[in-house]
Structures are given as structure tokens and as C-alpha cells.
Short mmCIF file of all heavy atoms in Angstrom, two decimals:
data_model
loop_
_atom_site.label_atom_id
_atom_site.label_comp_id
_atom_site.label_asym_id
_atom_site.label_seq_id
_atom_site.Cartn_x
_atom_site.Cartn_y
_atom_site.Cartn_z
N SER A 1193 -16.04 -212.91 -97.84
CA SER A 1193 -17.23 -212.24 -98.43
C SER A 1193 -18.46 -213.09 -98.22
O SER A 1193 -19.55 -212.58 -97.87
CB SER A 1193 -16.99 -211.99 -99.92
OG SER A 1193 -15.91 -211.15 -100.14
N LEU A 1194 -18.33 -214.40 -98.45
CA LEU A 1194 -19.45 -215.31 -98.29
C LEU A 1194 -19.93 -215.31 -96.84
O LEU A 1194 -21.13 -215.27 -96.53
CB LEU A 1194 -19.07 -216.70 -98.74
CG LEU A 1194 -20.15 -217.79 -98.55
CD1 LEU A 1194 -21.36 -217.46 -99.37
CD2 LEU A 1194 -19.59 -219.17 -98.90
N GLY A 1195 -18.95 -215.35 -95.95
CA GLY A 1195 -19.32 -215.33 -94.53
C GLY A 1195 -20.00 -214.10 -94.12
O GLY A 1195 -20.95 -214.10 -93.33
N LEU A 1196 -19.57 -212.95 -94.68
CA LEU A 1196 -20.19 -211.65 -94.38
C LEU A 1196 -21.64 -211.64 -94.86
O LEU A 1196 -22.54 -211.16 -94.19
CB LEU A 1196 -19.37 -210.53 -95.00
CG LEU A 1196 -19.91 -209.08 -94.81
CD1 LEU A 1196 -19.92 -208.78 -93.30
CD2 LEU A 1196 -19.07 -208.09 -95.55
N CYS A 1197 -21.82 -212.14 -96.12
CA CYS A 1197 -23.18 -212.18 -96.69
C CYS A 1197 -24.12 -213.06 -95.86
O CYS A 1197 -25.28 -212.66 -95.59
CB CYS A 1197 -23.16 -212.72 -98.11
SG CYS A 1197 -22.41 -211.54 -99.28
N LEU A 1198 -23.64 -214.20 -95.42
CA LEU A 1198 -24.44 -215.13 -94.60
C LEU A 1198 -24.78 -214.47 -93.27
O LEU A 1198 -25.90 -214.60 -92.79
CB LEU A 1198 -23.74 -216.43 -94.42
CG LEU A 1198 -23.56 -217.32 -95.67
CD1 LEU A 1198 -22.69 -218.54 -95.37
CD2 LEU A 1198 -24.90 -217.76 -96.14
N THR A 1199 -23.81 -213.79 -92.71
CA THR A 1199 -24.02 -213.11 -91.39
C THR A 1199 -25.04 -212.01 -91.54
O THR A 1199 -25.96 -211.91 -90.74
CB THR A 1199 -22.69 -212.52 -90.88
OG1 THR A 1199 -21.77 -213.57 -90.69
CG2 THR A 1199 -22.92 -211.84 -89.54
N GLN A 1200 -24.88 -211.16 -92.65
CA GLN A 1200 -25.84 -210.14 -92.85
C GLN A 1200 -27.25 -210.66 -93.10
O GLN A 1200 -28.23 -210.12 -92.64
CB GLN A 1200 -25.41 -209.31 -94.10
CG GLN A 1200 -24.18 -208.46 -93.84
CD GLN A 1200 -23.70 -207.71 -95.07
OE1 GLN A 1200 -23.94 -208.20 -96.22
NE2 GLN A 1200 -23.04 -206.60 -94.93
N GLY A 1201 -27.30 -211.81 -93.82
CA GLY A 1201 -28.60 -212.43 -94.07
C GLY A 1201 -29.29 -212.89 -92.79
O GLY A 1201 -30.50 -212.68 -92.58
N ALA A 1202 -28.46 -213.49 -91.91
CA ALA A 1202 -29.02 -213.98 -90.63
C ALA A 1202 -29.49 -212.80 -89.79
O ALA A 1202 -30.53 -212.85 -89.10
CB ALA A 1202 -27.93 -214.74 -89.90
N VAL A 1203 -28.72 -211.68 -89.77
CA VAL A 1203 -29.12 -210.52 -89.02
C VAL A 1203 -30.42 -209.95 -89.57
O VAL A 1203 -31.34 -209.63 -88.82
CB VAL A 1203 -28.02 -209.43 -89.09
CG1 VAL A 1203 -28.51 -208.11 -88.50
CG2 VAL A 1203 -26.77 -209.90 -88.37
N LEU A 1204 -30.53 -209.80 -90.90
CA LEU A 1204 -31.75 -209.31 -91.52
C LEU A 1204 -32.97 -210.15 -91.15
O LEU A 1204 -34.06 -209.68 -90.86
CB LEU A 1204 -31.61 -209.27 -93.02
CG LEU A 1204 -30.75 -208.14 -93.62
CD1 LEU A 1204 -30.50 -208.40 -95.08
CD2 LEU A 1204 -31.45 -206.78 -93.39
N ALA A 1205 -32.79 -211.49 -91.16
CA ALA A 1205 -33.85 -212.39 -90.85
C ALA A 1205 -34.32 -212.27 -89.41
O ALA A 1205 -35.49 -212.49 -89.09
CB ALA A 1205 -33.41 -213.86 -91.13
N GLN A 1206 -33.37 -211.90 -88.53
CA GLN A 1206 -33.76 -211.70 -87.12
C GLN A 1206 -34.41 -210.34 -86.92
O GLN A 1206 -35.34 -210.13 -86.18
CB GLN A 1206 -32.52 -211.81 -86.23
CG GLN A 1206 -32.01 -213.25 -86.12
CD GLN A 1206 -33.02 -214.17 -85.48
OE1 GLN A 1206 -33.83 -213.78 -84.63
NE2 GLN A 1206 -33.03 -215.45 -85.88
N GLU A 1207 -33.86 -209.28 -87.63
CA GLU A 1207 -34.35 -207.93 -87.45
C GLU A 1207 -35.84 -207.78 -87.85
O GLU A 1207 -36.54 -206.91 -87.33
CB GLU A 1207 -33.50 -206.95 -88.23
CG GLU A 1207 -32.15 -206.71 -87.59
CD GLU A 1207 -31.31 -205.70 -88.43
OE1 GLU A 1207 -31.73 -205.41 -89.57
OE2 GLU A 1207 -30.29 -205.23 -87.92
N PHE A 1208 -36.33 -208.61 -88.77
CA PHE A 1208 -37.71 -208.42 -89.22
C PHE A 1208 -38.71 -208.78 -88.08
O PHE A 1208 -39.86 -208.43 -88.18
CB PHE A 1208 -38.00 -209.23 -90.49
CG PHE A 1208 -38.61 -210.58 -90.29
CD1 PHE A 1208 -40.00 -210.73 -90.30
CD2 PHE A 1208 -37.81 -211.70 -90.12
CE1 PHE A 1208 -40.57 -211.96 -90.14
CE2 PHE A 1208 -38.40 -212.96 -89.98
CZ PHE A 1208 -39.79 -213.10 -89.96
N LEU A 1209 -38.25 -209.37 -87.02
CA LEU A 1209 -39.09 -209.71 -85.88
C LEU A 1209 -38.98 -208.65 -84.81
O LEU A 1209 -39.34 -208.89 -83.66
CB LEU A 1209 -38.72 -211.07 -85.30
CG LEU A 1209 -39.01 -212.29 -86.21
CD1 LEU A 1209 -38.48 -213.55 -85.60
CD2 LEU A 1209 -40.48 -212.41 -86.49
N SER A 1210 -38.50 -207.46 -85.16
CA SER A 1210 -38.28 -206.46 -84.16
C SER A 1210 -39.57 -205.72 -83.73
O SER A 1210 -39.61 -205.01 -82.75
CB SER A 1210 -37.29 -205.40 -84.69
OG SER A 1210 -37.81 -204.78 -85.84
N ARG A 1211 -40.69 -205.94 -84.46
CA ARG A 1211 -41.93 -205.35 -84.09
C ARG A 1211 -43.08 -206.21 -84.68
O ARG A 1211 -42.81 -207.13 -85.46
CB ARG A 1211 -42.04 -203.91 -84.60
CG ARG A 1211 -41.95 -203.75 -86.10
CD ARG A 1211 -42.01 -202.27 -86.49
NE ARG A 1211 -42.09 -202.07 -87.93
CZ ARG A 1211 -41.09 -202.08 -88.75
NH1 ARG A 1211 -39.85 -202.28 -88.24
NH2 ARG A 1211 -41.24 -201.89 -90.05
N PRO A 1212 -44.34 -205.97 -84.32
CA PRO A 1212 -45.45 -206.78 -84.78
C PRO A 1212 -45.50 -206.94 -86.30
O PRO A 1212 -45.17 -205.98 -87.06
CB PRO A 1212 -46.67 -206.03 -84.25
CG PRO A 1212 -46.17 -205.36 -83.02
CD PRO A 1212 -44.77 -204.93 -83.34
N VAL A 1213 -45.97 -208.05 -86.78
CA VAL A 1213 -46.12 -208.36 -88.20
C VAL A 1213 -47.61 -208.32 -88.57
O VAL A 1213 -48.40 -208.81 -87.82
CB VAL A 1213 -45.52 -209.75 -88.52
CG1 VAL A 1213 -45.77 -210.13 -89.99
CG2 VAL A 1213 -44.01 -209.78 -88.21
N ARG A 1214 -47.90 -207.72 -89.73
CA ARG A 1214 -49.27 -207.64 -90.18
C ARG A 1214 -49.43 -208.58 -91.39
O ARG A 1214 -48.61 -208.62 -92.28
CB ARG A 1214 -49.65 -206.22 -90.61
CG ARG A 1214 -49.76 -205.21 -89.50
CD ARG A 1214 -50.23 -203.89 -90.08
NE ARG A 1214 -49.36 -203.41 -91.14
CZ ARG A 1214 -49.77 -202.70 -92.18
NH1 ARG A 1214 -51.07 -202.40 -92.36
NH2 ARG A 1214 -48.90 -202.27 -93.10
N ILE A 1215 -50.56 -209.33 -91.42
CA ILE A 1215 -50.94 -210.07 -92.55
C ILE A 1215 -52.18 -209.41 -93.14
O ILE A 1215 -53.25 -209.45 -92.51
CB ILE A 1215 -51.24 -211.55 -92.26
CG1 ILE A 1215 -50.00 -212.26 -91.73
CG2 ILE A 1215 -51.73 -212.28 -93.52
CD1 ILE A 1215 -50.20 -213.70 -91.35
N VAL A 1216 -52.05 -208.70 -94.23
CA VAL A 1216 -53.17 -207.99 -94.85
C VAL A 1216 -53.98 -208.96 -95.72
O VAL A 1216 -53.48 -209.59 -96.63
CB VAL A 1216 -52.66 -206.80 -95.71
CG1 VAL A 1216 -53.85 -206.12 -96.41
CG2 VAL A 1216 -51.94 -205.83 -94.82
N VAL A 1217 -55.28 -209.01 -95.41
CA VAL A 1217 -56.22 -209.82 -96.19
C VAL A 1217 -57.08 -208.87 -97.00
O VAL A 1217 -57.80 -208.05 -96.46
CB VAL A 1217 -57.16 -210.68 -95.27
CG1 VAL A 1217 -58.18 -211.45 -96.10
CG2 VAL A 1217 -56.32 -211.66 -94.44
N PRO A 1218 -56.99 -208.93 -98.34
CA PRO A 1218 -57.71 -207.96 -99.16
C PRO A 1218 -59.17 -208.30 -99.39
O PRO A 1218 -59.75 -207.93 -100.41
CB PRO A 1218 -56.91 -207.95 -100.46
CG PRO A 1218 -56.34 -209.33 -100.55
CD PRO A 1218 -56.07 -209.72 -99.13
N GLN A 1219 -59.74 -209.11 -98.52
CA GLN A 1219 -61.16 -209.46 -98.57
C GLN A 1219 -61.76 -209.22 -97.17
O GLN A 1219 -61.07 -209.01 -96.18
CB GLN A 1219 -61.35 -210.93 -98.95
CG GLN A 1219 -61.13 -211.23 -100.40
CD GLN A 1219 -59.67 -211.49 -100.72
OE1 GLN A 1219 -58.91 -211.99 -99.87
NE2 GLN A 1219 -59.26 -211.24 -101.95
N THR A 1220 -63.08 -209.28 -97.13
CA THR A 1220 -63.78 -209.07 -95.85
C THR A 1220 -63.64 -210.27 -94.93
O THR A 1220 -63.31 -211.37 -95.41
CB THR A 1220 -65.30 -208.87 -96.08
OG1 THR A 1220 -65.81 -209.96 -96.87
CG2 THR A 1220 -65.56 -207.57 -96.87
N PRO A 1221 -63.83 -210.14 -93.64
CA PRO A 1221 -63.69 -211.25 -92.70
C PRO A 1221 -64.75 -212.38 -93.02
O PRO A 1221 -65.81 -212.10 -93.57
CB PRO A 1221 -64.00 -210.60 -91.35
CG PRO A 1221 -63.71 -209.16 -91.52
CD PRO A 1221 -64.09 -208.85 -92.94
N GLY A 1222 -64.31 -213.58 -92.72
CA GLY A 1222 -65.23 -214.70 -92.88
C GLY A 1222 -64.98 -215.64 -94.04
O GLY A 1222 -65.49 -216.71 -94.09
N GLY A 1223 -64.24 -215.14 -95.05
CA GLY A 1223 -63.96 -215.96 -96.21
C GLY A 1223 -62.79 -216.90 -95.99
O GLY A 1223 -62.17 -216.93 -94.97
N ALA A 1224 -62.44 -217.65 -97.05
CA ALA A 1224 -61.39 -218.62 -96.96
C ALA A 1224 -60.04 -217.93 -96.69
O ALA A 1224 -59.27 -218.39 -95.86
CB ALA A 1224 -61.31 -219.43 -98.23
N SER A 1225 -59.74 -216.83 -97.39
CA SER A 1225 -58.49 -216.13 -97.18
C SER A 1225 -58.33 -215.66 -95.74
O SER A 1225 -57.28 -215.85 -95.11
CB SER A 1225 -58.41 -214.92 -98.11
OG SER A 1225 -58.26 -215.25 -99.46
N ASP A 1226 -59.40 -215.14 -95.20
CA ASP A 1226 -59.41 -214.68 -93.84
C ASP A 1226 -59.20 -215.79 -92.84
O ASP A 1226 -58.38 -215.68 -91.90
CB ASP A 1226 -60.73 -213.93 -93.52
CG ASP A 1226 -60.75 -213.29 -92.14
OD1 ASP A 1226 -60.03 -212.34 -91.94
OD2 ASP A 1226 -61.50 -213.81 -91.29
N ALA A 1227 -59.91 -216.88 -93.04
CA ALA A 1227 -59.79 -217.99 -92.12
C ALA A 1227 -58.39 -218.63 -92.11
O ALA A 1227 -57.83 -218.89 -91.03
CB ALA A 1227 -60.83 -219.08 -92.51
N LEU A 1228 -57.83 -218.81 -93.28
CA LEU A 1228 -56.48 -219.37 -93.33
C LEU A 1228 -55.43 -218.43 -92.80
O LEU A 1228 -54.46 -218.85 -92.12
CB LEU A 1228 -56.14 -219.74 -94.81
CG LEU A 1228 -57.03 -220.80 -95.46
CD1 LEU A 1228 -56.58 -221.05 -96.90
CD2 LEU A 1228 -57.03 -222.12 -94.68
N ALA A 1229 -55.61 -217.13 -93.04
CA ALA A 1229 -54.68 -216.16 -92.55
C ALA A 1229 -54.67 -216.12 -91.01
O ALA A 1229 -53.61 -215.97 -90.40
CB ALA A 1229 -55.03 -214.77 -93.09
N ARG A 1230 -55.84 -216.28 -90.41
CA ARG A 1230 -55.93 -216.22 -88.95
C ARG A 1230 -55.28 -217.48 -88.31
O ARG A 1230 -54.67 -217.38 -87.23
CB ARG A 1230 -57.36 -216.04 -88.52
CG ARG A 1230 -57.91 -214.66 -88.89
CD ARG A 1230 -59.33 -214.39 -88.44
NE ARG A 1230 -59.74 -213.09 -89.00
CZ ARG A 1230 -59.39 -211.93 -88.47
NH1 ARG A 1230 -58.69 -211.84 -87.37
NH2 ARG A 1230 -59.83 -210.82 -89.05
N ILE A 1231 -55.47 -218.61 -88.94
CA ILE A 1231 -54.75 -219.78 -88.45
C ILE A 1231 -53.26 -219.61 -88.48
O ILE A 1231 -52.56 -219.93 -87.51
CB ILE A 1231 -55.16 -221.05 -89.25
CG1 ILE A 1231 -56.66 -221.35 -89.08
CG2 ILE A 1231 -54.34 -222.26 -88.87
CD1 ILE A 1231 -57.17 -222.47 -90.02
N MET A 1232 -52.81 -219.10 -89.60
CA MET A 1232 -51.35 -218.90 -89.80
C MET A 1232 -50.81 -217.79 -88.84
O MET A 1232 -49.72 -217.92 -88.30
CB MET A 1232 -51.06 -218.53 -91.25
CG MET A 1232 -49.58 -218.49 -91.62
SD MET A 1232 -48.68 -220.03 -91.23
CE MET A 1232 -49.71 -221.24 -92.12
N ALA A 1233 -51.57 -216.72 -88.65
CA ALA A 1233 -51.14 -215.66 -87.78
C ALA A 1233 -50.96 -216.15 -86.36
O ALA A 1233 -49.97 -215.81 -85.69
CB ALA A 1233 -52.17 -214.50 -87.82
N GLN A 1234 -51.89 -216.95 -85.87
CA GLN A 1234 -51.80 -217.50 -84.53
C GLN A 1234 -50.50 -218.35 -84.37
O GLN A 1234 -49.76 -218.20 -83.42
CB GLN A 1234 -53.00 -218.38 -84.23
CG GLN A 1234 -52.94 -219.03 -82.86
CD GLN A 1234 -54.00 -220.07 -82.66
OE1 GLN A 1234 -55.05 -220.11 -83.41
NE2 GLN A 1234 -53.87 -220.97 -81.74
N ARG A 1235 -50.27 -219.23 -85.33
CA ARG A 1235 -49.09 -220.13 -85.24
C ARG A 1235 -47.78 -219.35 -85.41
O ARG A 1235 -46.79 -219.72 -84.72
CB ARG A 1235 -49.21 -221.25 -86.25
CG ARG A 1235 -50.34 -222.22 -85.96
CD ARG A 1235 -50.21 -222.73 -84.51
NE ARG A 1235 -51.22 -223.69 -84.11
CZ ARG A 1235 -51.01 -224.97 -83.90
NH1 ARG A 1235 -49.78 -225.46 -84.00
NH2 ARG A 1235 -52.00 -225.76 -83.55
N LEU A 1236 -47.72 -218.39 -86.31
CA LEU A 1236 -46.50 -217.63 -86.47
C LEU A 1236 -46.22 -216.81 -85.26
O LEU A 1236 -45.03 -216.63 -84.84
CB LEU A 1236 -46.63 -216.73 -87.72
CG LEU A 1236 -46.51 -217.41 -89.09
CD1 LEU A 1236 -46.81 -216.42 -90.21
CD2 LEU A 1236 -45.15 -218.01 -89.28
#
């Protein structure tokens, strides 16, 4: 059971990369949230 859970977890973690990821910034461009999000988006 443990092995099945770990396997399912690994599969789920891989499946989330099956299409583009969006980072939603609830503020306008140019602020601190936007700047940090763009640095992180590039690296991810």
C-alpha cells in the first residue's frame, strides 16, 4: 500500500507538468509581487 501511494504521488507530481503553468499575480505589472513572480517563472 505504501509503495502504491508513493508511486501514485510520483506520477501526480510528474503529470502536473503536462502543460504550461500559470502564476497569477493579483496586482498590476511593475510591483514587487510581479517582479518576484517573473524571476521565479523564468527559473521554473
Side-chain angles (χ1 to χ4, degrees):
S1193 299
L1194 178 61
L1196 180 61
C1197 289
L1198 291 174
T1199 300
Q1200 289 176 333
V1203 170
L1204 284 169
Q1206 288 299 328
E1207 285 181 348
F1208 95 91
L1209 292 175
S1210 60
R1211 62 181 186 277
V1213 175
R1214 292 184 303 147
I1215 299 179
V1216 176
V1217 176
Q1219 285 87 29
T1220 55
S1225 292
D1226 183 69
L1228 298 180
R1230 291 183 186 280
I1231 294 172
M1232 190 54 55
Q1234 177 191 342
R1235 290 309 180 110
L1236 286 173

